[in-house]
């Protein structure tokens, strides 16, 4: 029902894109054919590790319909819907109550929820959030925290659950580009997984911003006989605190220990086997010079079957140097 694949060059892209639900493109220029598919999302982040391109593709096995609604481009079949929202903050006025980024984030999420209501896809399996300058401060608040305010407003307005059962996600800073949010939704609920080593993000105390982030640490999405596992962005946070602020090696080790804890919890909740080596990873790295140290630890901890792409990004807390996300198909 849904497969994930990765390509490192445009030449590796499949010729027939009719079954591609959506593509995350870490490329300076998206190939024409992918743009024509309707749901190619451009992420302005350099790919490290000698690669210049990276595509993460979601493939469906039924015929797809492609449509546009407001700021959302989306493709769907009877089981799944993948959409991309792209919003230029400059369209949103600054007011005493809200910065442009907060208003854009709220609008993006409200549009997503309205679209999913109208097409009867009640369950989001995964959100991807990308914005420029995620750590800079304006309107007296870090931009990631402005985004969290807007996201919370949209969840409250739609009376969505704001604790316990929220989708897996990531939120990262690009060098430039509009607020860009992708989402994958279905018609059956996914199982949210939390990390016993960490306070759930929706319960973070107010020192991390006036409204907390809304995401689960991972989710297991049922897809017919199989399921898809989404590991949210995972960083060096224990409890709610950042550990090892200036030590990228220790942050990488701690992040992987968190990934293991999430996999153990997923195993406990589903009875299925989850191993570090069964995931495909995207590793977001703040400073490109940290690549060798991070890669080394990934290779040592995960072993010879490691599949990972390394991308330069800003992480949503300024003291975080690395964040790891992943996905796996489970049979
Ligand atoms: C953290 O654990 C790191 O705001 O949607 C990871 C995944 C993080 C998703 C989000 C933020 C988000 O708090 C940051």
């Amino acid at each position: 029902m849904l497969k994930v694949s990765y390509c490192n060059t445009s030449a590796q892209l499949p010729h027939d894109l009719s079954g591609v639900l959506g593509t995350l493109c870490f490329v300076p220029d998206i190939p024409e054919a992918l743009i024509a598919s309707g749901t190619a999302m451009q992420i302005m982040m350099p790919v490290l590790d000698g690669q210049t391109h990276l595509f993460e593709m979601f493939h469906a096995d039924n015929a797809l319909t492609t449509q546009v609604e407001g700021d959302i481009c989306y493709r769907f079949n009877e089981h799944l819907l993948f959409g991309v929202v792209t919003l230029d903050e400059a369209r949103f006025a600054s007011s005493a109550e809200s910065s442009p980024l907060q208003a854009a984030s709220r609008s993006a999420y409200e549009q997503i929820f309205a679209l999913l209501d109208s097409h009867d896809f009640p369950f989001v399996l995964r959100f991807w959030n990308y914005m420029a300058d995620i750590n800079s401060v304006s309107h007296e608040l870090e931009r990631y925290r402005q985004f969290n305010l807007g996201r919370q407003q949209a969840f409250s307005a739609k009376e969505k659950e704001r604790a316990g059962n929220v989708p897996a996600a990531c939120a990262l800073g690009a060098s430039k580009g509009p607020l860009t949010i992708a989402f994958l939704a279905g018609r059956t609920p996914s199982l949210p997984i939390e990390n016993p080593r960490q306070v759930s993000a929706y319960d973070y105390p107010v020192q991390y911003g006036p409204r907390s982030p809304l995401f689960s640490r991972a989710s297991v999405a049922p897809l017919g006989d199989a399921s898809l596992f989404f590991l949210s962005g995972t960083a060096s946070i224990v409890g709610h605190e950042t550990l090892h602020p200036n030590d990228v090696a220790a942050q990488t080790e701690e992040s992987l220990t968190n990934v293991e804890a999430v996999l153990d919890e997923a195993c406990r909740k589903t009875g299925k086997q989850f191993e570090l080596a069964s995931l495909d990873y995207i590793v977001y790295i703040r400073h490109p010079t940290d690549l060798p140290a991070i890669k080394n630890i990934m290779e040592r901890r995960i072993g010879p079957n490691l599949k990972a792409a390394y991308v330069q990004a800003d992480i949503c807390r300024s003291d975080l140097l690395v964040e790891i996300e992943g996905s796996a198909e489970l049979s």
Side-chain angles (χ1 to χ4, degrees), residues 129 144 147-148 151 169-171 198 201 204 213-215 217 232-235 237 315-317 320 323:
N129 303 290
Y144 173 60
F147 161 79
N148 277 320
R151 175 167 56 179
C170 61
Q198 296 182 311
Y204 281 169
L214 291 173
F215 67 95
R217 298 302 178 181
S232 292
T234 306
I237 296 174
I315 325 289
C316 65
R317 286 186 188 182
L320 289 173
E323 183 171 301

Side-chain angles (χ1 to χ4, degrees), residues 8-23:
N8 277 117
T9 67
S10 306
Q12 291 170 355
L13 291 171
H15 292 292
D16 178 6
L17 297 171
S18 60
V20 176
L21 260 175
T23 311

Side-chain angles (χ1 to χ4, degrees), residues 277-305:
S278 14
L279 274 68
D280 281 290
Y281 294 96
I282 297 184
V283 183
Y284 297 97
I285 299 179
R286 187 181 291 278
H287 304 301
T289 46
D290 288 337
L291 173 69
I294 293 170
K295 212 176 152 183
N296 228 316
I297 294 167
M298 292 286 294
E299 285 168 355
R300 178 171 49 71
R301 290 275 293 261
I302 299 177
N305 295 327

Side-chain angles (χ1 to χ4, degrees), residues 6-215:
Y6 298 83
C7 309
N8 277 117
T9 67
S10 306
Q12 291 170 355
L13 291 171
H15 292 292
D16 178 6
L17 297 171
S18 60
V20 176
L21 260 175
T23 311
L24 309 192
C25 309
F26 296 85
V27 296
D29 300 293
I30 303 184
E32 226 16 81
L34 260 188
I35 295 177
S37 74
T39 49
M41 167 174 177
Q42 183 163 34
I43 305 162
M44 296 296 210
M45 293 178 181
V47 180
L48 305 172
D49 201 20
Q51 305 285 353
T52 51
H53 287 41
L54 172 69
F55 304 93
E56 181 175 16
M57 305 191 99
F58 296 93
H59 305 264
D61 56 9
N62 294 68
L64 297 172
T65 305
T66 309
Q67 283 173 358
V68 177
E69 172 77 42
D71 299 300
I72 309 180
C73 297
Y74 62 102
R75 291 191 113 177
F76 63 100
N77 61 21
E78 58 186 299
H79 304 295
L80 292 164
L81 183 151
F82 183 94
V84 180
V85 193
T86 314
L87 273 186
D88 183 358
E89 288 165 48
R91 279 174 36 201
F92 295 83
S94 181
S95 70
E97 294 84 51
S98 176
S99 70
L101 178 59
Q102 177 184 338
S105 309
R106 178 180 184 167
S107 170
Y109 272 87
E110 286 184 349
Q111 290 188 51
I112 292 168
F113 291 142
L115 179 82
L116 296 179
D117 277 352
S118 71
H119 286 268
D120 194 25
F121 283 94
F123 303 106
V124 178
L125 314 179
R126 169 79 153 98
F127 282 115
W128 292 261
N129 303 290
Y130 299 96
M131 67 207 79
D133 298 319
I134 196 167
N135 298 128
S136 64
V137 174
S138 75
H139 305 79
E140 293 168 20
L141 198 63
E142 185 185 357
R143 282 168 53 80
Y144 173 60
R145 299 175 183 203
Q146 298 173 22
F147 161 79
N148 277 320
L149 280 169
R151 175 167 56 179
Q152 277 269 357
Q153 284 177 311
F155 272 72
S156 331
K158 288 280 173 187
E159 296 180 356
K160 295 274 170 193
E161 277 182 77
R162 281 177 290 152
N165 191 6
V166 289
C170 61
L172 292 138
S175 55
K176 56 182 174 173
L179 174 66
T180 309
I181 300 173
F183 55 99
L184 177 67
R187 293 195 157 128
T188 39
S190 52
L191 179 70
I193 311 290
E194 290 300 308
N195 179 350
R197 302 180 83 232
Q198 296 182 311
V199 172
S200 293
Y202 44 79
D203 289 331
Y204 281 169
V206 68
Q207 73 198 76
Y208 303 102
R211 290 287 179 278
S212 32
L214 291 173
F215 67 95

